[in-house]
């Protein structure tokens, strides 16, 4: 069984940043990532523009040079690959942690590599959970949501040329998807349960999006509650009135949530109202001694509270705590 002082679960920017902070303290942690590095960013829409400027996405004191003030997805992928190579981070990609057990000697982790059906075991003194939230969609729980034509992720608009496409949601991901779909020649309906445009929509996106609505290019329905998705329609209600639209494809951009079952299985307590794990904000250590959280998972259900630009600082707190005399969590 491979022995490690620190294992970081999650190879996103915050997990990578934590590893770099550990290196500064003389520790070479192992990162276990179930997909590719910065897995969530890879799954962003192809032409995604970040809300943050490039310098606020930097980790490890490595400059992020971008053509524009706000970088796009491909630039970020190139940057984080470069950081991993430059810092010589130890990252096992496509290796999923399936079980964690606390023992007298720390933690025993079991992993699975799906592509090779290979199982491994590790022992670690400390764990850092930096698993993000992007892999856990908020489901609508309506009939037809499990159809192949329904997706909770938007990647490319080209396949949907000349199709009837519904976008469920009214925040950034929904507005971005609608704009890209219109560019590709889709006929777009946006169904949002809110009563007006969301204040969280990026300020440079809202004018473009609202202009398409005003011109009738995008059919916008506020106060819409989805009832059912059939093979050729999407059925919804507005103020008790049942409506339907022709529908070839549906993008349910209804947000995402942390992987609570996994972190609970380690023994970490969760505030049921906020979804936040119990942790010390000065050290990021949870109620389970030796287990830390980093990145957006610390925000619980409010994923707008922690981004790369502030989650990247969690690693410094964790590294400092592991390498100094610790006091019990209160």
């Amino acid at each position: 069984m491979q022995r490690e002082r620190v294992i970081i679960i999650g190879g996103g920017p915050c997990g990578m940043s934590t590893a770099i902070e550990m290196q500064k303290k003389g520790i070479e942690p192992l990162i276990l990532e179930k997909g590719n590095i910065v897995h969530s960013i890879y799954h962003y829409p192809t032409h995604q523009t970040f809300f943050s400027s490039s310098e606020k996405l930097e980790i490890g004191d490595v400059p992020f040079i971008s053509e524009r003030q706000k970088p796009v997805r491909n630039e970020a992928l190139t940057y984080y690959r470069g950081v991993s190579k430059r810092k010589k981070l130890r990252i096992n990609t496509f290796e999923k942690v399936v079980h964690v057990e606390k023992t007298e000697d720390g933690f025993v982790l079991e992993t699975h590599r799906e592509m090779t059906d290979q199982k491994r075991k590790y022992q670690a003194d400390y764990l850092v959970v930096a698993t993000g939230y992007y892999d856990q969609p908020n489901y609508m729980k309506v009939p037809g949501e499990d159809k192949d034509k329904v997706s909770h992720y938007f990647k490319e608009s080209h396949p949907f040329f000349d199709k009837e496409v519904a976008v469920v949601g009214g925040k950034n991901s929904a507005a971005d998807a609608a704009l890209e779909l219109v560019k590709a020649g889709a006929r777009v309906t946006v169904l949002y349960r809110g009563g007006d445009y969301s204040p969280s929509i990026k300020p440079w996106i809202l004018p473009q999006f609202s202009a398409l609505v005003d011109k009738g290019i995008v059919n916008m329905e506020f106060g819409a509650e989805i009832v059912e998705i059939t093979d050729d329609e999407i059925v919804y209600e507005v103020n008790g009135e049942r409506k339907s639209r022709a529908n070839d494809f549906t993008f349910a951009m209804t947000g995402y949530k942390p992987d609570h079952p996994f972190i609970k299985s380690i023994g970490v307590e969760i505030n049921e109202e906020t979804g936040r794990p119990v942790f010390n904000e000065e050290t990021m250590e949870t109620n389970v001694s030796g287990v830390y959280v980093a990145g957006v998972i610390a925000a619980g259900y409010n994923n707008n509270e922690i981004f790369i630009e502030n989650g990247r600082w969690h690693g410094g707190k964790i590294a400092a705590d592991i390498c100094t005399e610790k006091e019990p969590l209160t």
Side-chain angles (χ1 to χ4, degrees):
M1 184 160 48
Q2 186 171 325
R3 181 67 186 257
E4 299 287 341
R5 186 171 183 193
V6 178
I7 287 181
I8 299 169
I9 305 173
C14 295
M16 292 172 64
S17 176
T18 300
I20 293 168
E21 294 301 320
M22 294 286 181
Q23 287 180 334
K24 294 177 182 178
K25 300 288 187 180
I27 301 172
E28 293 288 344
L30 176 66
I31 298 176
L32 298 175
E33 166 56 56
K34 68 179 179 180
N36 49 261
I37 66 167
V38 292
H39 178 78
S40 294
I41 295 175
Y42 170 72
H43 285 287
Y44 284 178
T46 302
H47 304 292
Q48 175 83 46
T49 299
F50 280 81
F51 184 85
S52 303
S53 55
S54 58
E55 67 269 16
K56 292 183 178 179
L57 301 176
E58 293 175 354
I59 61 174
D61 301 318
V62 178
F64 186 169
I65 307 302
S66 172
E67 293 181 7
R68 300 162 244 187
Q69 183 184 13
K70 297 183 184 298
V72 296
R73 167 187 170 272
N74 281 347
E75 290 178 313
L77 294 177
T78 300
Y79 170 74
Y80 290 115
R81 289 198 306 266
V83 171
S84 176
K85 186 174 181 180
R86 180 170 173 177
K87 297 295 183 178
K88 299 179 180 178
L89 298 180
R90 300 171 61 221
I91 307 178
N92 287 6
T93 54
F94 303 102
E95 185 169 355
K96 183 179 181 179
V97 177
V98 295
H99 182 69
V100 176
E101 182 180 351
K102 186 171 176 57
T103 69
E104 293 181 357
D105 298 322
F107 302 90
V108 173
L109 293 80
E110 297 179 9
T111 69
H112 180 239
R113 289 190 167 189
E114 186 173 352
M115 291 184 290
T116 60
D117 197 29
Q118 183 181 16
K119 297 179 180 179
R120 291 182 175 179
K121 275 192 175 184
Y122 300 86
Q123 189 168 10
D125 297 328
Y126 300 99
L127 291 184
V128 180
V129 181
T131 50
Y133 70 100
Y134 198 64
D135 291 326
Q136 306 289 322
N138 290 319
Y139 291 105
M140 298 180 292
K141 299 179 181 179
V142 299
E145 187 174 12
D146 58 348
K147 290 181 179 294
D148 290 342
K149 68 178 224 173
V150 181
S151 175
H152 288 268
Y153 300 91
F154 175 78
K155 188 77 172 179
E156 295 274 2
S157 58
H158 173 74
F160 309 101
F161 164 70
D162 198 31
K163 295 297 181 182
E164 298 286 349
V165 182
V167 178
V168 181
K171 297 185 178 179
N172 280 309
S173 57
D176 284 336
L179 289 174
E180 291 297 320
L181 287 162
V182 167
K183 289 178 187 177
R187 294 181 292 278
V188 180
T189 296
V190 177
L191 304 172
Y192 181 42
R193 64 183 179 183
D196 201 351
Y197 295 113
S198 169
S200 69
I201 296 181
K202 301 168 187 173
W204 62 89
I205 293 294
L206 182 57
Q208 301 176 54
F209 181 59
S210 61
L212 292 176
V213 174
D214 293 342
K215 293 175 183 178
I217 298 172
V218 169
N219 177 47
M220 183 79 195
E221 289 272 22
F222 292 106
E225 296 286 346
I226 310 303
V227 175
E228 182 183 10
I229 301 169
T230 69
D231 288 341
D232 53 11
E233 287 187 326
I234 184 165
V235 182
Y236 58 99
E237 289 185 354
V238 177
N239 296 324
E241 179 186 356
R242 181 162 291 206
K243 299 183 177 184
S244 65
R245 298 280 299 187
N247 180 249
D248 297 310
F249 296 95
T250 296
F251 289 98
M253 313 308 291
T254 49
Y256 309 93
K257 59 188 177 184
D259 188 353
H260 282 159
F262 174 74
I263 197 168
K264 281 182 176 180
S265 73
I266 305 174
V268 177
E269 296 176 6
I270 302 293
N271 183 306
E272 296 300 328
E273 183 177 344
T274 65
R276 287 167 60 96
V278 173
F279 67 95
N280 185 326
E281 294 192 6
E282 297 299 318
T283 65
M284 307 305 294
E285 187 176 26
T286 69
N287 62 285
V288 178
S289 179
V291 177
Y292 298 78
V293 289
V296 70
I297 192 170
Y301 299 132
N302 185 16
N303 50 52
N304 289 323
E305 177 184 339
I306 297 176
F307 305 92
I308 297 171
E309 62 184 66
N310 54 359
R312 60 184 172 158
W313 306 122
H314 293 167
K317 295 180 178 181
I318 297 168
D321 191 59
I322 287 176
C323 296
T324 57
E325 189 68 30
K326 299 193 303 174
E327 295 184 1
L329 181 68
T330 56

